[in-house]
Structures are given as C-alpha cells and as structure tokens.
Amino acid sequence: YYKENSKYLAQGEKAFYYFFKDVAEENGILLKDIYTAADLGEGWGSKVVRMEKHTKNRDTIIRLCLAGHFSWIQTSRALKLYGMTELYAKDARDACIIVAINNRIFDPYRVDELLEEHGMEKLS
C-alpha cells in the first residue's frame, strides 16, 4: 500500500493533483477532455486540479470526477484529498450521485437531471 500510495501521502498540497492525474490516466482520459466534459474552462480547471486556485465548491470537484469517470471510492478519495467531505451514502443528494456513478452515468448534465427528478439541487 505504501509503495503505491506514498506520493499521495508525502506532499499534502499536491496529493490531489497526483491522484487525479493517475486516475485519469488509468481511465484513458486526457485532463483537457475532463475540463471540457465538466464544463469548466481549461485554464480554470487546470488551476483547480493543480491546486494553484482552491475552490470551496464541492460540486466542482464532483463534476471533475464525473468527467474523469472516477468510481465512487475514487471520487470520495479525491474529495478527501482536496480537503472536502467524502460522498456520504446517508445524505440523499450524495446517495443520488453515488447511484449515478455506480450505474456509470458520468455525464454531469444527466446527473443534474437525476438530481432534479428527485427534487434535489443540481450540481453547481
């Protein structure tokens, strides 16, 4: 475990970037494609992922993870590494997002539709 994850532990500030980049590469998705699919500008998205600019909007990280086809566990880990709360299955909105991820629905607009169908706030 330590050998595989030491770079995420060593540099707290860059841990999110390294983790995000590695998962995107595993999924065969380019970072610039993730920024586009998440509906973020490439410049802003890049700064958020590299942690040059810090967002307090949890939904931004969730949108990036959806666009990168992250699993539920990977999304929760990314949120935690960014300093945000993980997806929590007992929270109705988070549960809806988890169900979407588990059903391989990675389009943020489709996830927004699912959230709206259940009377919840869309991803911002």
Side-chain angles (χ1 to χ4, degrees):
Y1 175 85
Y2 183 75
K3 284 181 183 179
E4 292 177 13
N5 296 293
S6 63
K7 66 182 169 185
Y8 308 131
L9 302 172
Q11 298 179 5
E13 189 173 290
K14 290 290 186 179
F16 172 79
Y17 170 68
Y18 293 133
F19 177 73
F20 194 90
K21 187 175 71 90
D22 287 350
V23 174
E25 284 177 8
E26 284 174 22
N27 293 339
I29 302 173
L30 299 174
L31 289 177
K32 67 178 186 160
D33 294 335
I34 291 174
Y35 308 141
T36 302
D39 199 26
L40 300 172
E42 190 172 336
W44 172 250
S46 175
K47 288 179 182 179
V48 169
V49 169
R50 292 180 188 274
M51 299 195 70
E52 294 169 9
K53 295 280 186 181
H54 190 81
T55 183
K56 293 183 181 185
N57 188 342
R58 184 173 178 255
D59 286 351
T60 299
I61 304 305
I62 292 171
R63 290 179 77 86
L64 285 164
C65 291
L66 286 170
H69 297 193
F70 283 36
S71 69
W72 170 20
I73 293 169
Q74 291 167 332
T75 301
S76 288
R77 176 112 189 254
L79 286 164
K80 189 173 183 178
L81 288 171
Y82 204 84
M84 299 180 172
T85 58
E86 300 176 51
L87 290 173
Y88 183 58
K90 290 187 178 182
D91 177 275
R93 186 170 182 266
D94 280 2
C96 192
I97 293 167
I98 291 167
V99 168
I101 291 170
N102 287 342
N103 286 306
R104 305 200 47 80
I105 299 171
F106 297 118
D107 179 10
Y109 298 107
R110 180 68 183 113
V111 174
D112 282 346
E113 289 173 5
L114 291 171
L115 289 168
E116 280 188 320
E117 286 172 13
H118 292 90
M120 293 173 222
E121 197 176 308
K122 296 190 311 184
L123 294 170
S124 55

